[in-house]
Amino acid sequence: MVKSIEGEPLGKTTAYKGFNHLTFSVSDLDRSIAFYSELLGFSGEVRWATGAYLSYGNCWLCLSLGNVSSSQDYTHVAFSFDAAAMWHITQKDGFPSVTQWQKNTSEGDSLYLEDPDGHKLELHSGSLTTRLESLRKAPYDELEWLAE
């Protein structure tokens, strides 16, 4: 249990309020800003010599100039997009040069892309609710419901 400065347990209403922001190290700030704003539709908020803040819906994305080490595992970040927005992205001039790191095989429309530094992204139209509904119909191997 998370404790306050005074040592008392924090209740659910004060312990967490949701996702705050995401930071990616990038090797070329201009290239990354263009990818996220021009291709994916993020809004530019501010930039400085070594970084930038962009937003998409209630998501705050920080791009920070630095050394980049892309993951070779399944770790990725998923952003909510509807199917029409994903289709529109695939029609943009710059899309053919984007690496797609996986094909969609799960519930909901998804587009799996790498940003210019190899960060794995998923543009996804589903939600936790739609995913759980799909698991009730077709459970994964050894699926165990943790909250019922």
Side-chain angles (χ1 to χ4, degrees), residues 16-126:
Y16 57 86
K17 295 182 180 184
F19 184 78
N20 188 277
H21 73 279
L22 175 66
T23 299
F24 284 140
S25 288
V26 299
S27 60
D28 182 325
L29 194 55
D30 291 329
R31 180 178 68 171
S32 293
I33 290 171
F35 175 85
Y36 285 97
S37 62
E38 294 171 17
L39 186 68
L40 300 186
F42 282 54
S43 297
E45 301 296 337
V46 297
R47 80 172 277 160
W48 58 97
T50 60
Y53 291 150
L54 309 175
S55 63
Y56 183 80
N58 64 355
C59 177
W60 161 20
L61 177 64
C62 174
L63 303 175
S64 181
L65 197 57
N67 295 325
V68 177
S69 177
S70 61
S71 171
Q72 299 303 309
D73 61 22
Y74 188 68
T75 301
H76 65 281
V77 177
F79 296 102
S80 294
F81 277 76
D82 62 30
M86 284 185 261
W87 180 87
H88 183 70
I89 288 167
T90 65
Q91 303 308 302
K92 292 185 177 183
D93 290 340
F95 186 76
S97 64
V98 174
T99 300
Q100 294 187 58
W101 61 275
Q102 177 173 299
K103 297 290 183 195
N104 185 34
T105 59
S106 61
E107 165 275 329
D109 291 317
S110 285
L111 190 57
Y112 295 87
L113 311 173
E114 287 185 8
D115 80 356
D117 287 296
H119 298 295
K120 293 176 182 168
L121 311 175
E122 177 184 359
L123 311 184
H124 184 66
S125 67

Side-chain angles (χ1 to χ4, degrees), residues 1-11 14:
M1 159 105 354
V2 176
K3 294 188 177 183
S4 70
I5 293 171
E6 294 82 24
E8 296 298 317
L10 293 174
T14 58

